[in-house]
Amino acid sequence: FVDFEMADPNGKTHKLSEFVGNGKNIVLIDFWASWCVPCRKETPFLKMAKERYKDKLAVYAVTIDADTLKWEKAIEEDSTRYFIHVRGVSDRNVPDKQVRALKIKSIPRNFLLDKERRIIAKDLRGEELLNALEQLIK
């Protein structure tokens, strides 16, 4: 079972288990950064998925941005305030131990978790993500 506890742009921590498990939600953990062009190209699909499945899906967006201002600017530009935004690196650009445990070497990277917080798919992109969610949420 996967669980994380990381801080949002305001420093408030969010535990993954608050949003999934106990039959509540499925979650997409998305690793990204403001400077990652392929990551940002996936954003419209993430937004489409969240709009389509509203309360059944949580998007737990883990940035590896060391620069908080660039991170916050990207959130505003992409209109993704309603995602659960957390930070997976320190100000010194050192990856969080939770990020290291998943062996995140490059981005974009994502993991789809079921309601029991088990990884059921990874690295879903575009239509592939939407199709997987449709099968899972039916």
Side-chain angles (χ1 to χ4, degrees):
F1 299 101
V2 177
D3 203 4
F4 283 159
E5 187 168 1
M6 296 181 190
D8 67 16
N10 300 316
K12 182 178 186 288
T13 59
H14 296 276
K15 204 168 190 179
L16 185 61
S17 56
E18 294 170 30
F19 305 99
V20 295
N22 303 325
K24 280 199 281 192
N25 284 321
I26 59 171
V27 72
L28 182 73
I29 303 174
D30 183 54
F31 291 89
W32 72 290
S34 64
W35 45 263
C36 172
V37 174
C39 300
R40 304 281 296 271
K41 283 186 176 173
E42 287 300 313
T43 302
F45 293 100
L46 299 177
K47 289 170 66 173
M48 227 182 296
K50 181 64 181 154
E51 287 162 18
R52 193 175 289 175
Y53 300 110
K54 299 187 182 5
D55 296 339
K56 295 178 178 141
L57 173 69
V59 178
Y60 196 84
V62 181
T63 189
I64 59 163
D65 268 300
D67 187 321
T68 303
L69 294 177
K70 287 181 181 172
W71 174 34
E72 290 177 326
K73 184 178 182 213
I75 293 169
E76 286 303 317
E77 286 173 354
D78 295 347
S79 302
T80 59
R81 273 266 166 239
Y82 56 97
F83 291 0
I84 303 148
H85 283 284
V86 295
R87 190 167 183 195
V89 294
S90 69
D91 291 339
R92 294 188 185 149
N93 208 21
V94 176
D96 183 282
K97 68 178 189 274
Q98 300 161 108
V99 173
R100 290 193 310 265
L102 279 174
K103 297 178 175 43
I104 305 298
K105 302 275 190 242
S106 63
I107 54 172
R109 195 84 210 269
N110 66 43
F111 298 88
L112 186 61
L113 308 182
D114 67 10
K115 292 177 182 182
E116 306 307 318
R117 294 193 317 254
R118 293 177 297 217
I119 297 172
I120 54 171
K122 58 185 172 185
D123 299 324
L124 298 169
R125 305 270 180 268
E127 291 294 327
E128 185 184 28
L129 169 64
L130 298 173
N131 292 338
L133 287 168
E134 188 172 322
Q135 295 302 311
L136 187 64
I137 294 176
K138 267 186 183 177

